[in-house]
């Protein structure tokens, strides 16, 4: 047990290959072409995330956190370099293969919940499972289990409009975990919540990832949050810096 009472961070061998992690980044750069100008967001970002390892991604607004998460989630390809999901090269896959990996192996949580408003909490978690080919009964049972895990079993039949902001995000987290992903990517998931609710939702998300060996990269503005994570990646002046584990005083 660490000093924070959390499980020991997963073992990550020195000089590990980016193929050895759930997520591996190798020399990833992101440029945007604007007319004749090339806007460089970050360059040569490298890193590995092991199963159950929870990484904070921090950096000022505009530093490229969302862009990097899109690349990690195979929503965009990097301008240079490559990203590996469970050992498979993003560059080496077809569009269809990337879509299947996103569906089956990666969960996404955004700042706004993006739940389907006309469906209740449990249906919002059932739908992605059925799209992935799961039968209705098993999907329903698993959705209820996930709602239990985020403490919302009694809100199963509530539509998003009848949930608080924190509850909506907890359903969004449960939905992101619906297809048992290996990797969770969260883009300022608590940025829209009051500080007390943000802490609660954040801790719940980190705890579920650790308990289920889901690797996570969570972009956050809140430096206090980084002390609860295994490592912090800092986007600073176009570089990705691994700041290691940030300890509380
Ligand atoms: P963050 O999430 O850290 O706030 P973003 O990844 O959203 O940062 O954006 C990083 C930079 O990339 C910003 O300066 C933004 O304006 C720029 N950017 C993002 N998307 C595009 C795009 N499609 N075309 C041009 N520039 C973009
Ligand atoms: Mg962003």
């Amino acid at each position: 047990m660490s000093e924070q009472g959390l499980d020991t961070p997963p073992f990550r061998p020195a000089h590990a290959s980016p193929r050895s992690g759930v997520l591996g980044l190798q020399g990833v750069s992101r440029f945007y072409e604007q007319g004749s100008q090339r806007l460089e967001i970050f360059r040569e970002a490298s890193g590995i995330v092991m199963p159950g390892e929870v990484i904070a991604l921090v950096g000022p607004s505009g530093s490229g956190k969302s862009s990097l998460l899109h690349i990690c989630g195979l929503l965009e390809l990097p301008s240079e370099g490559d990203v590996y999901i469970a050992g498979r090269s993003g560059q080496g896959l077809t569009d269809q293969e990337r879509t299947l990996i996103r569906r089956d192996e990666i969960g996404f949580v955004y700042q706004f919940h993006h739940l389907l408003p006309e469906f209740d909490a449990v249906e919002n978690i059932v739908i992605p499972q059925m799209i992935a080919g799961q039968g209705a009964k098993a999907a329903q049972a698993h959705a209820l289990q996930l709602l239990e895990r985020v403490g919302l079993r009694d809100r199963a039949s509530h539509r998003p409009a009848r949930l608080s902001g924190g509850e909506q995000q907890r359903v969004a987290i449960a939905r992101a975990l619906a297809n048992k992903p290996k990797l969770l990517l969260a883009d300022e998931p608590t940025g829209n919540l009051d500080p007390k609710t943000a802490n609660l939702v954040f801790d719940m998300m980190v705890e579920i990832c650790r308990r289920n060996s889901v690797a996570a990269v969570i972009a956050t503005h809140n430096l206090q949050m980084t002390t609860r994570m295994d490592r912090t990646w800092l986007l600073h002046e176009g570089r990705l810096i691994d700041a290691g584990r940030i300890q509380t005083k």
Side-chain angles (χ1 to χ4, degrees):
M1 298 286 271
S2 76
E3 62 277 66
Q4 286 154 309
L6 302 167
D7 294 333
T8 314
F11 176 68
R12 183 164 36 91
H15 314 298
S17 148
R19 288 179 186 274
S20 65
V22 175
L23 169 69
L25 300 173
Q26 188 169 47
V28 168
S29 303
R30 187 64 170 109
F31 312 127
Y32 288 109
E33 307 293 338
Q34 288 212 315
S36 59
Q37 283 201 329
R38 193 170 80 160
L39 184 65
E40 181 181 293
I41 311 304
F42 49 79
R43 72 195 133 97
E44 290 166 28
S46 292
I48 302 173
V49 186
M50 302 304 281
E53 198 173 23
V54 181
I55 308 281
L57 175 61
V58 297
S61 184
S63 60
K65 300 181 296 298
S66 296
S67 302
L68 185 60
L69 287 176
H70 289 159
I71 289 170
C72 293
L74 304 179
L75 289 162
E76 286 172 25
L77 284 174
S79 312
E80 287 174 356
D82 204 356
V83 50
Y84 297 88
I85 303 294
R88 274 163 304 172
S89 148
Q91 300 277 13
L93 300 167
T94 63
D95 281 351
Q96 199 192 358
E97 287 169 332
R98 280 196 286 273
T99 301
L100 288 180
I101 289 181
R102 272 200 303 277
R103 189 190 76 186
D104 297 337
E105 294 177 34
I106 306 176
F108 295 89
V109 183
Y110 299 94
Q111 186 170 351
F112 300 98
H113 57 80
H114 297 301
L115 296 171
L116 300 171
E118 65 275 32
F119 293 96
D120 67 23
V122 77
E123 288 164 342
N124 266 280
I125 306 167
V126 161
I127 290 165
Q129 297 180 70
M130 293 191 66
I131 291 171
Q134 183 63 271
K137 239 180 159 170
Q140 173 90 6
H142 184 49
L144 289 172
Q145 263 174 16
L146 284 166
L147 280 175
E148 180 92 52
R149 249 186 261 169
V150 296
L152 291 176
R153 177 65 185 79
D154 57 348
R155 300 289 197 282
S157 60
H158 286 212
R159 287 187 182 187
R162 286 180 55 218
L163 297 168
S164 71
E167 289 167 348
Q168 289 166 347
Q169 278 306 66
R170 279 147 70 190
V171 176
I173 291 164
R175 179 189 52 184
L177 297 169
N179 289 330
K180 302 185 178 147
K182 296 187 175 81
L183 175 65
L184 183 76
L185 300 172
D187 198 351
E188 307 198 29
T190 61
N192 203 29
L193 304 175
D194 66 80
K196 195 169 158 231
T197 308
N199 275 330
L200 189 137
V201 171
F202 200 87
D203 283 346
M204 188 172 267
M205 184 169 59
V206 170
E207 168 72 16
I208 292 174
C209 288
R210 290 216 171 103
R211 210 175 272 269
N212 296 282
S213 281
V214 178
V217 181
I218 307 173
T220 176
H221 256 100
N222 186 339
L223 288 178
Q224 192 61 38
M225 304 283 197
T226 63
T227 61
R228 273 120 79 183
M229 322 277 260
D230 298 316
R231 279 188 292 140
T232 292
W233 284 354
L234 180 63
L235 272 170
H236 178 70
E237 294 181 353
R239 293 291 188 170
L240 184 69
I241 299 160
D242 188 335
R245 186 175 194 123
I246 304 209
Q247 308 279 0
T248 39
K249 275 193 230 136

